[in-house]
Amino acid sequence: MALNEQSSIVVVGGSLGGLRCVEALRRLGHTGSLTLVGAEEHLPYDRPPLSKEVLTGERALGEIALTDSEKLTELDVDVRLGQAATALDLAESVVEIGSEKLSYGAIVIATGSHARRLPGTENISGIHVIRTNDDVEALTKELVANASVVVIGGGFIGAEAAASARSLGCSVTVIEAASAPMSRGLGDEMGTVCGMLHTDNGTALRVGVGVEKVIAEDGRVSAVLLEDGSSLDADVVIVGIGSVPTTEWLTNSGLIIDDGVVCDETLAALGGGGHVFAVGDVCRWSNPWNGETMRVEHWTNAVEQSFTVAKNLLASAGEAVTHSSVPFVWSDQYGHRIQIAGRPGPGDRPYVVAGSVDDRSFVAAYRRGESLTGVMAIDMIKPFVTGRRLLMQHATWSDTLAAYAPAPE
Ligand SMILES: Cc1cc2nc3c(=O)[nH]c(=O)nc-3n(C[C@H](O)[C@H](O)[C@H](O)COP(=O)(O)OP(=O)(O)OC[C@H]3O[C@@H](n4cnc5c(N)ncnc54)[C@H](O)[C@@H]3O)c2cc1C
């Protein structure tokens, strides 16, 4: 966007995407002022361990920092922690933090997403979400051996929380309204396989039934009533029903907001006049990899997009690069590593191309016509990497089968 190298850049969102962006800007030679505005009081920290090693007690909250004050001082970044941007005025090129106005030459929106909560449960204790350091600090105190834990939602966060609670000796039930956990991204067949990881490990799984309401006694959760009339005793409830992009502060900005900040192929926000970019969970962009407009709530996406945005902020006019990327996520559950790449659609069929489901160690490739649309693996790291590479290369289905064919004797 041909910024003057002295231009000031304000990055809003002090977590993975925002931090990686300021680091990349300095590495690429930006010498102008850099400000990182973060609503949380903490220095940027890593979220994936929150539902895994931090919840199980294997790592302390203090061990997941992504940087420290010395490094940020070396980068000459003005870090504003505990300060939430409240509005963006595009005409005046200012970010508002309450009554303070910060001028910018360019702005990066990295405000991520926040956990969706169960309506009507705000004043009931014992009900938790897992999104922040503070969320996990509160939850770990309650996950004691033999506690009855009900996890609402069988997606990544719910599944990881269930696995962690189980490893702490809790009695755990996962409730999933769809016919299988993780079926939204993986379809029923592979979702059912993910469900087996729960039942293999003594976690009860209730699928195809929603939650009617949470019952509380003296202000604390005591049970969860399901839509089929049954009820489950609960000392603790963990709500993992997805997250919502954090865009409320942009409501009257003039940017196009539609389940995220809508961006073009270079990650420039539509309506931002070329001075506004978005990265990470909050960014919905047109992905040249498959032509779809998508929002990807995965760690690698936030990191990769930050590099592209830093490059494009410093690019000469007309030199911005497009951001083409194969979505990728990993998840650790019950000692297994699940990896998923690509974007399988609801009608795409998975075929096991390596290993076996019975061994809980396999790769499944998703087919749409003659194309490969996704790859999912459990505990098969190298063969998964092959699948990810095939997706990047837009491999045909026959290329895929050939890549996984056993070598001739
Ligand atoms: C528990 C958990 C486990 C995960 N595990 C995995 C995993 O195993 N694999 C994987 O690929 N991905 C995982 N993810 C997803 C991954 O962590 C996210 O995709 C990544 O954190 C996105 O980074 P981000 O910077 O875009 O947003 P976020 O990490 O959400 O950070 C946004 C930051 O912006 C701040 N903010 C919001 N509004 C404002 C405002 N108005 N002003 C200033 N600051 C603001 C927020 O407080 C927050 O600190 C996990 C996520 C969670 C929550």
Side-chain angles (χ1 to χ4, degrees), residues 326 341 363 372 374-375 382-393 395 400 404:
V326 176
V363 177
L372 171 70
V375 177
K382 269 175 97 176
F384 173 79
V385 172
T386 302
R388 200 174 163 194
R389 180 176 46 76
L390 290 166
L391 286 163
M392 288 173 190
Q393 295 167 345
T400 305
Y404 283 104

Side-chain angles (χ1 to χ4, degrees), residues 165-243:
R166 201 56 208 122
S167 78
L168 292 167
C170 302
S171 154
V172 184
T173 304
V174 173
I175 301 165
E176 170 55 56
S179 49
M182 316 238 288
S183 58
R184 195 163 56 99
L186 294 177
D188 278 357
E189 203 174 325
M190 286 301 136
T192 301
V193 175
C194 291
M196 292 172 186
L197 300 183
H198 291 297
T199 49
D200 287 349
N201 288 281
T203 294
L205 180 61
R206 299 284 304 271
V207 295
V209 62
V211 169
E212 179 70 36
K213 65 174 178 175
V214 171
I215 315 282
E217 277 171 28
D218 300 327
R220 186 171 176 97
V221 65
S222 61
V224 176
L225 185 62
L226 304 187
E227 281 170 347
D228 62 5
S230 60
S231 93
L232 298 163
D233 290 344
D235 300 315
V236 178
V237 169
I238 301 174
V239 179
I241 54 173
S243 53

Side-chain angles (χ1 to χ4, degrees), residues 13 15 17 39-40 47-48 52 85 112 131 157 280-281 297-299 330:
S15 185
E40 292 182 73
R47 289 182 209 281
K52 309 176 182 74
R131 182 76 208 177
I157 306 287
D281 284 14
E297 293 180 312
H298 306 330
W299 193 95
W330 79 92

Side-chain angles (χ1 to χ4, degrees), residues 280-281 283 285 287 294-298 301-302 305 327-328 343:
D281 284 14
C283 171
W285 93 112
N287 187 347
M294 60 178 75
R295 197 167 65 76
V296 174
E297 293 180 312
H298 306 330
N301 174 65
Q305 289 190 331
F328 162 69
R343 204 74 171 173

Side-chain angles (χ1 to χ4, degrees), residues 16-375:
L16 179 66
L19 173 70
R20 293 296 182 242
C21 201
V22 297
E23 290 171 342
L25 280 163
R26 283 294 185 236
R27 218 170 30 250
L28 294 173
H30 180 64
T31 52
S33 81
L34 272 181
T35 306
L36 184 63
V37 182
E40 292 182 73
E41 297 284 351
H42 309 282
L43 281 169
Y45 58 89
D46 216 12
R47 289 182 209 281
L50 291 178
S51 46
K52 309 176 182 74
E53 305 96 298
V54 174
L55 208 53
T56 57
E58 291 157 81
R59 277 171 87 182
L61 279 170
E63 293 171 16
I64 60 170
L66 290 168
T67 188
D68 57 41
S69 312
E70 288 74 35
K71 287 188 186 129
L72 288 167
T73 305
E74 271 169 35
L75 290 176
D76 191 18
V77 181
D78 176 14
V79 184
R80 313 283 200 97
L81 296 179
Q83 300 187 20
T86 44
L88 172 64
D89 184 336
L90 291 173
E92 297 294 324
S93 295
V94 293
V95 177
E96 296 178 16
I97 304 175
S99 57
E100 188 187 357
K101 291 180 192 289
L102 273 183
S103 299
Y104 63 79
I107 174 172
V108 180
I109 298 168
T111 46
S113 52
H114 52 276
R116 184 170 291 154
R117 291 172 188 268
L118 271 188
T121 60
E122 296 76 10
N123 298 321
I124 304 176
S125 63
I127 302 186
H128 298 264
V129 294
I130 307 180
R131 182 76 208 177
T132 66
N133 185 319
D134 299 353
D135 293 337
V136 173
E137 198 167 18
L139 174 58
T140 44
K141 291 183 189 131
E142 301 203 339
L143 287 185
V144 294
N146 300 319
S148 294
V149 177
V150 174
V151 178
I152 301 177
F156 289 112
I157 306 287
E160 290 184 352
S164 297
R166 201 56 208 122
S167 78
L168 292 167
C170 302
S171 154
V172 184
T173 304
V174 173
I175 301 165
E176 170 55 56
S179 49
M182 316 238 288
S183 58
R184 195 163 56 99
L186 294 177
D188 278 357
E189 203 174 325
M190 286 301 136
T192 301
V193 175
C194 291
M196 292 172 186
L197 300 183
H198 291 297
T199 49
D200 287 349
N201 288 281
T203 294
L205 180 61
R206 299 284 304 271
V207 295
V209 62
V211 169
E212 179 70 36
K213 65 174 178 175
V214 171
I215 315 282
E217 277 171 28
D218 300 327
R220 186 171 176 97
V221 65
S222 61
V224 176
L225 185 62
L226 304 187
E227 281 170 347
D228 62 5
S230 60
S231 93
L232 298 163
D233 290 344
D235 300 315
V236 178
V237 169
I238 301 174
V239 179
I241 54 173
S243 53
V244 184
T246 306
T247 54
E248 297 82 353
W249 67 286
L250 298 166
T251 303
N252 297 314
S253 64
L255 295 179
I256 312 288
I257 307 295
D258 179 10
D259 184 33
V261 176
V262 183
C263 295
D264 68 12
E265 295 186 343
T266 69
L267 308 179
L270 301 188
H275 299 272
V276 184
F277 288 80
V279 299
D281 284 14
V282 77
C283 171
R284 170 174 291 282
W285 93 112
S286 173
N287 187 347
W289 171 64
N290 68 350
E292 269 180 40
T293 297
M294 60 178 75
R295 197 167 65 76
V296 174
E297 293 180 312
H298 306 330
W299 193 95
T300 310
N301 174 65
V303 173
E304 291 176 348
Q305 289 190 331
S306 305
F307 293 133
T308 301
V309 163
K311 260 193 232 160
N312 287 346
L313 280 166
L314 304 179
S316 307
E319 298 289 313
V321 294
T322 60
H323 186 80
S324 178
S325 159
V326 176
F328 162 69
V329 62
W330 79 92
S331 176
D332 295 329
Q333 300 172 23
Y334 304 103
H336 295 284
R337 168 138 301 189
I338 302 175
Q339 293 169 291
I340 302 161
R343 204 74 171 173
D348 301 351
R349 252 209 82 191
Y351 293 84
V352 174
V353 291
S356 91
V357 167
D358 286 348
D359 294 341
R360 309 288 188 260
S361 173
F362 67 92
V363 177
Y366 286 77
R367 177 180 188 174
R368 184 185 305 164
E370 285 314 302
S371 304
L372 171 70
T373 56
V375 177

